């Protein structure tokens, strides 16, 4: 792909990015699941992905799994002690906090309006979503299960929910009109082009670290 074609492709991607559809993984343990979710999130136009880990450690990204998707999304690690304040801030910004959790008040994941600003929160592979995160939820959702098993792998579950959100957003025309301002698109584009240029020219010889920021309210 030539330079101009590459730039046009980046412009097109940024035009369809959905800054008001975001994903958070609560105390994720498995770096493979994180990498798979990053790839799915990029596929539906998600820009921002957040996660916490039990030991406040940064998880590695498996490039063979992401297939480069980590380069076209923004990844943030939220300090474990800051996740409640983070969710409260998201709600102040107008986001609905949609949490996956099996309980009596939960509704089907298809019954949520994902055309609204939405932060989808997925639980970890062992305990699910923590109690303090559930307490901040505006909506509790489940994926209906018709068999003996009561849950799906977290990366599979995330994919199902994200593609329902994508379906609703596409029907609402949110992939046609840019959701990011021109100024924001140009800022992101400049950063992406710079990093993409280094990565392509080095052909893997330079271990380029793509930005992962820490969010901590303390």
């Amino acid at each position: 792909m030539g330079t101009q074609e590459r730039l046009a492709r980046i412009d097109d991607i940024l035009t369809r990015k959905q800054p008001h559809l975001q994903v958070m993984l609560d105390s994720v343990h498995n770096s493979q699941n994180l990498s798979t979710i990053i790839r799915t999130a990029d596929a539906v136009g998600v820009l921002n992905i957040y996660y916490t880990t039990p030991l406040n450690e940064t998880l590695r990204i498996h490039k063979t799994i992401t297939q480069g998707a980590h380069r076209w999304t923004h990844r943030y690690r939220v300090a474990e002690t800051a996740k409640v304040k983070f969710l409260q801030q998201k709600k102040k910004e107008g986001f609905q906090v949609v949490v996956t959790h099996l309980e009596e008040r939960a509704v089907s994941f298809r019954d949520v309006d994902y055309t609204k600003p939405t932060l989808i929160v997925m639980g970890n592979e062992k305990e699910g979503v923590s109690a303090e995160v559930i307490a901040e939820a505006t909506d509790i959702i489940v994926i209906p299960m018709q068999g003996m098993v009561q849950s799906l792998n977290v990366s599979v579950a995330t994919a199902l929910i994200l593609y329902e959100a994508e379906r609703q957003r596409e029907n609402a025309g949110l992939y046609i009109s840019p959701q990011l301002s021109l100024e924001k698109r140009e800022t992101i584009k400049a950063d992406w082009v710079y990093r993409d240029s280094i990565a392509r020219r080095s052909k893997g010889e330079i271990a380029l670290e793509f930005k992962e920021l820490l969010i901590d309210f303390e």
Side-chain angles (χ1 to χ4, degrees):
M1 184 181 293
T3 301
Q4 292 305 315
E5 290 177 303
R6 190 75 166 177
L7 292 175
R9 176 63 173 160
I10 291 173
D11 283 331
D12 182 52
I13 289 171
L14 286 170
T15 297
R16 290 182 283 113
K17 280 292 186 182
Q18 303 292 298
H20 295 119
L21 177 62
Q22 302 179 357
V23 176
M24 178 181 176
L25 308 178
D26 182 24
S27 298
V28 64
H29 295 84
N30 189 298
S31 58
Q32 286 90 347
N33 280 334
L34 173 60
S35 297
T36 302
I37 290 168
I38 289 171
R39 185 171 175 176
T40 304
D42 174 64
V44 301
V46 168
L47 181 63
N48 296 327
I49 302 165
Y50 306 90
Y51 75 94
T52 67
T53 59
L55 300 178
N56 279 319
E57 58 188 352
T58 298
L59 294 184
R60 65 170 292 199
I61 297 302
H62 299 269
K63 297 177 182 178
T64 56
I65 296 176
T66 67
Q67 291 293 298
H70 61 286
R71 295 163 58 186
W72 314 111
T73 56
H74 296 163
R75 192 169 67 256
Y76 305 89
R77 181 169 64 82
V78 181
E80 183 73 11
T81 56
K83 63 185 178 183
V84 171
K85 289 183 179 178
F86 168 75
L87 293 173
Q88 291 172 345
Q89 179 61 38
K90 282 295 175 185
K91 289 192 287 187
K92 288 180 182 178
E93 294 172 7
F95 280 77
Q96 57 183 356
V97 176
V98 179
V99 177
T100 56
H101 181 61
L102 182 61
E103 65 170 59
E104 187 175 343
R105 62 176 170 145
V107 300
S108 169
F109 74 104
R110 301 185 185 95
D111 293 337
V112 171
D113 182 359
Y114 298 101
T115 64
K116 299 177 181 179
T118 303
L119 175 67
I120 298 169
V121 184
M122 306 298 296
N124 67 57
E125 302 87 346
K126 297 179 180 179
E127 296 85 18
V129 182
S130 58
E132 58 265 42
V133 167
I134 295 171
E136 297 299 328
T138 54
D139 296 271
I140 304 289
I141 60 171
V142 293
I143 296 174
M145 306 290 292
Q146 310 300 337
M148 291 291 288
V149 178
Q150 290 299 302
S151 65
L152 295 169
N153 172 276
V154 64
S155 62
V156 175
T158 305
L160 287 174
I161 297 166
L162 282 176
Y163 267 94
E164 171 61 21
E166 188 270 350
R167 183 190 68 81
Q168 292 185 19
R169 285 179 161 258
E170 184 176 38
N171 287 343
L174 296 179
Y175 288 93
I176 298 174
S177 300
Q179 303 300 300
L180 290 164
S181 68
L182 177 59
E183 180 181 7
K184 185 67 174 178
R185 297 199 308 275
E186 289 299 319
T187 299
I188 295 173
K189 178 182 176 180
D191 183 54
W192 283 3
V193 167
Y194 171 73
R195 291 171 177 273
D196 185 49
S197 176
I198 294 176
R200 296 175 71 202
R201 288 177 182 176
S202 70
K203 297 181 180 179
E205 294 177 5
I206 298 177
L208 186 63
E209 291 296 327
F210 291 88
K211 290 191 295 186
E212 174 171 305
L213 302 179
L214 173 65
I215 297 175
D216 194 341
F217 289 86
E218 296 181 345

